[in-house]
Amino acid sequence: MDATKSIEVLQFFATGLNAQAFAHRVQGKVFGASGFSKLAEKYAAHATEELDYVDQFIQRILDLGGQVKVEATQAEPVVENPVEYVRNDCQVSVDGIELLRRKMEEVKGDVTTYDILKVYLKDEEEDLYWSQEQLALINCIGEQNWLIRQL
């Protein structure tokens, strides 16, 4: 087991996921202020769930004797259009899942870290399926009808 590699991978995901959780929390507030309460609840819950994974990643870094870092990430724009946001979020999931699978291969000798990332992968796949389902629904019933369902 290469603890240094595991720490590096966990820190990478802790940093990125922390930023994404904050972005989801902000987007939830923006959608709530626009009256889209279901989307506001969805993204607020999603942010909390993501922060739970950040906590697990940090704890594992500490368990491995690593030093946790608070790292800055690139600023992301706030998206006002819910449909555009779901499209963007869907693509982030597709790209993120591919990256996560590659990183999991790098730590497969560390069974505990691998298992933590495996559970996280399952959650990310469920998020992707939700986004894909919403996009399919938008195509089926139209944007306006979908937006009405989000009130």
Side-chain angles (χ1 to χ4, degrees), residues 48-62:
T48 300
E49 187 177 88
E50 288 170 330
L51 288 174
D52 288 343
Y53 284 107
V54 170
D55 286 345
Q56 290 178 46
F57 299 161
I58 289 170
Q59 187 58 57
R60 181 64 181 152
I61 290 168
L62 295 171

Side-chain angles (χ1 to χ4, degrees), residues 32-145:
S34 298
F36 299 112
S37 59
K38 288 183 182 174
L39 281 178
E41 291 171 15
K42 166 69 178 168
Y43 284 108
H46 193 51
T48 300
E49 187 177 88
E50 288 170 330
L51 288 174
D52 288 343
Y53 284 107
V54 170
D55 286 345
Q56 290 178 46
F57 299 161
I58 289 170
Q59 187 58 57
R60 181 64 181 152
I61 290 168
L62 295 171
D63 290 346
L64 291 169
Q67 184 177 19
V68 179
K69 301 172 191 157
V70 177
E71 299 174 316
T73 59
Q74 186 176 8
E76 296 291 331
V78 174
V79 179
E80 299 290 329
N81 182 311
V83 174
E84 180 184 335
Y85 188 76
V86 171
R87 282 189 186 113
N88 292 343
D89 204 36
C90 184
Q91 189 59 53
V92 166
S93 291
V94 168
D95 297 341
I97 287 169
E98 180 183 324
L99 177 62
L100 178 54
R101 285 186 174 135
R102 284 196 317 263
K103 294 294 186 182
M104 286 173 67
E105 280 298 310
E106 294 177 18
V107 300
K108 65 184 174 187
D110 175 357
V111 178
T112 302
T113 298
Y114 183 87
D115 285 349
I116 291 168
L117 293 176
K118 186 175 165 183
V119 172
Y120 173 54
L121 173 63
K122 182 178 185 279
D123 183 66
E124 285 300 298
E125 287 175 336
E126 289 171 2
D127 294 337
L128 172 63
Y129 301 149
W130 181 88
S131 294
Q132 290 172 331
E133 179 182 282
Q134 299 313 302
L135 294 172
L137 193 56
I138 290 164
N139 285 332
C140 182
I141 66 174
E143 280 189 31
Q144 293 305 312
N145 289 327

